[in-house]
Amino acid sequence: MNRKLIAIVPLLIFVFLCVFLYQGLFANPREIQTGRIGDTMPAFNLPDLMDNNSRWTEQQLKGDVYLLNVWGTWCPTCLVELSYLTKLREQGVKIIGLYYVQGYDADFDGPFDMNALRKEVNDMLARTGNPYQFNILDLHRTLSLDLGVSGAPETFLVDKQGTILLHHTGDINPRVWRAKFAPLMQELN
Amino acid sequence: MKTVLLLLSLIISVSAFAQQDRYQFDNKEQAVRFEELTKELRCPKCQNQNIADSDAVVAKDLRDKVLVLVKENKSKDEVIDYMIDRYGYFVHYDPPVTPATLVLWVLPVLIVILGFGFIVIRQRKASVKQRWSENDELLLNKLIAQNKHQERS
């Protein structure tokens, strides 16, 4: 009896390994990078992407449930999700853009060409639809670093008190929306 | 000669390129801390590289931030906590002991204990089987004598 039991052990280990490794095949290694869930929006003071004269702070964003979508015209996956985000806006979801400037280095590139960037953004949004209430320009990626952003697109769901409830890495599509965002949005409204 | 010159100029230009990312520190101790930290912190974008190795934009941002914090004379733990606050435990190559990671620490120890236990038990069983008594000695002698007898006949 004891012998038979021991003979089964390798089989059990094998089955356990199979299950473990099989899960690994479909696990998303980027899911776990979330340091800011449950925290309030970090303090910032950044310019508007389109308007030189207005600036945004975390205090001004309070009072509404909103999505903060990190994006850039250089990012192909963002291009893909823009039209779906626009649909979400039409359904009444408030989306604020955090424009992630990639590859600009003040030491090498000289003064930043704001007009070229605005034109690029307008051209792109004219093609895909504009999901954003407004865009915050994060030229030196300081807010992005404070939020634990590693690239684009990434999206945060923030509630009325300014608490970060969700941090999604990758594009938002109908499947992601149904699985991750919709249940929380329903609770909040 | 021309080829040699060309090769030489190539080598020299490469080493010039490698110099571009040099950082300035106030003292040796800061430089050491910076180097240790950039090797211990993982790039959140290209996950199998530390931020010293990676060329991703976010890795450069993290390096620059580590530099600023080190120059403010923040301790190693303070810098690591700063990064964990933002990027999660994931960003540090040395995972802390939490209920979720406990298995990482316990399992190897458990396997070693089980393995040695198995060896010890087997050894004991084997030594029980090989116990030798006087009766066994007599029996053996008798068998040998019988055997010799058979061979002769």
Side-chain angles (χ1 to χ4, degrees):
Chain A
M1 183 57 211
N2 206 2
R3 278 249 155 134
K4 271 186 188 164
L5 225 74
I6 287 174
I8 285 178
V9 167
L11 182 71
L12 283 179
I13 292 174
F14 176 72
V15 170
F16 172 78
L17 261 178
C18 279
V19 172
F20 180 75
L21 294 175
Y22 186 78
Q23 271 190 335
L25 280 181
F26 302 100
N28 181 358
R30 301 188 187 279
E31 283 293 287
I32 23 182
Q33 301 167 34
T34 39
R36 279 300 191 198
I37 298 219
D39 290 2
T40 46
M41 211 41 202
F44 66 90
N45 184 345
L46 291 170
D48 189 276
L49 174 64
M50 292 301 170
D51 181 4
N52 279 333
N53 298 317
S54 58
R55 297 185 75 85
W56 296 100
T57 68
E58 76 288 355
Q59 293 299 328
Q60 286 165 282
L61 305 186
K62 267 190 188 167
D64 270 324
V65 175
Y66 63 92
L67 299 183
L68 185 74
N69 179 243
V70 184
W71 75 293
T73 51
W74 50 268
C75 147
T77 317
C78 303
L79 180 63
V80 173
E81 75 171 355
L82 274 173
S83 51
Y84 183 66
L85 290 178
T86 308
K87 266 189 206 147
L88 288 176
R89 182 189 186 174
E90 283 157 9
Q91 290 166 23
V93 179
K94 184 179 177 184
I95 305 173
I96 296 166
L98 179 66
Y99 194 89
Y100 187 96
V101 177
Q102 167 142 289
Y104 169 70
D105 193 324
D107 296 338
F108 291 105
D109 303 342
F112 188 69
D113 190 351
M114 207 55 210
N115 289 327
L117 176 63
R118 284 180 186 154
K119 186 176 179 307
E120 238 176 74
V121 168
N122 282 331
D123 285 352
M124 190 153 160
L125 294 181
R127 270 194 293 155
T128 59
N130 183 0
Y132 305 111
Q133 308 280 333
F134 55 85
N135 268 284
I136 301 167
L137 176 66
D138 198 5
L139 184 55
H140 302 290
R141 301 179 291 276
T142 48
L143 177 56
S144 298
L145 196 140
D146 272 340
L147 282 167
V149 168
S150 57
E154 289 188 21
T155 305
F156 296 85
L157 173 60
V158 186
D159 73 2
K160 286 177 183 164
Q161 286 80 41
T163 309
I164 297 166
L165 300 180
L166 204 63
H167 178 180
H168 175 72
T169 311
D171 68 322
I172 293 187
N173 49 47
R175 193 167 39 82
V176 169
W177 182 258
R178 264 200 311 278
K180 283 178 92 173
F181 287 85
L184 273 172
M185 290 296 279
Q186 218 156 26
E187 254 174 62
L188 290 170
N189 289 327
Chain B
M1 188 59 205
K2 257 188 186 171
T3 6
V4 172
L5 268 176
L6 182 70
L7 282 174
L8 210 69
S9 67
L10 275 174
I11 290 167
I12 289 167
S13 67
V14 164
S15 59
F17 180 73
Q19 298 243 333
Q20 85 174 17
D21 238 11
R22 284 278 164 87
Y23 295 97
Q24 300 289 320
F25 297 95
D26 301 339
N27 53 50
K28 185 96 197 279
E29 194 263 330
Q30 279 186 359
V32 170
R33 208 180 323 145
F34 177 80
E35 197 177 326
E36 280 176 6
L37 278 164
T38 51
K39 277 183 181 158
E40 255 176 57
L41 290 168
R42 177 196 248 178
C43 169
K45 192 79 198 171
C46 22
Q47 301 178 343
N48 296 327
Q49 280 182 304
N50 57 28
I51 62 172
D53 269 345
S54 174
D55 268 335
V57 176
V58 67
K60 186 177 181 302
D61 288 348
L62 293 190
R63 275 199 303 272
D64 291 347
K65 197 73 206 181
V66 170
L67 182 72
V68 169
L69 293 173
V70 163
K71 284 194 167 179
E72 284 170 7
N73 278 321
K74 293 270 193 292
S75 75
K76 224 174 128 176
D77 284 341
E78 280 172 317
V79 178
I80 289 169
D81 285 345
Y82 181 96
M83 292 304 173
I84 286 175
D85 277 349
R86 284 152 183 78
Y87 287 89
Y89 288 126
F90 190 79
V91 79
H92 194 209
Y93 267 122
D94 191 7
V97 184
T98 66
T101 58
L102 198 65
V103 69
L104 289 176
W105 307 99
V106 172
L107 204 63
V109 177
L110 214 68
I111 286 174
V112 168
I113 290 174
L114 276 177
F116 272 108
F118 183 71
I119 291 171
V120 167
I121 287 171
R122 240 178 60 148
Q123 209 72 348
R124 256 190 214 157
K125 267 191 188 164
S127 66
V128 168
K129 273 180 201 156
Q130 284 168 7
R131 196 170 287 158
W132 197 245
S133 67
E134 252 168 65
N135 276 342
D136 294 328
E137 189 73 37
L138 283 174
L139 185 66
L140 181 68
N141 287 337
K142 209 170 133 191
L143 283 171
I144 290 171
Q146 259 181 16
N147 219 30
K148 274 182 183 165
H149 191 70
Q150 274 176 8
E151 269 175 19
R152 238 179 264 153
S153 68

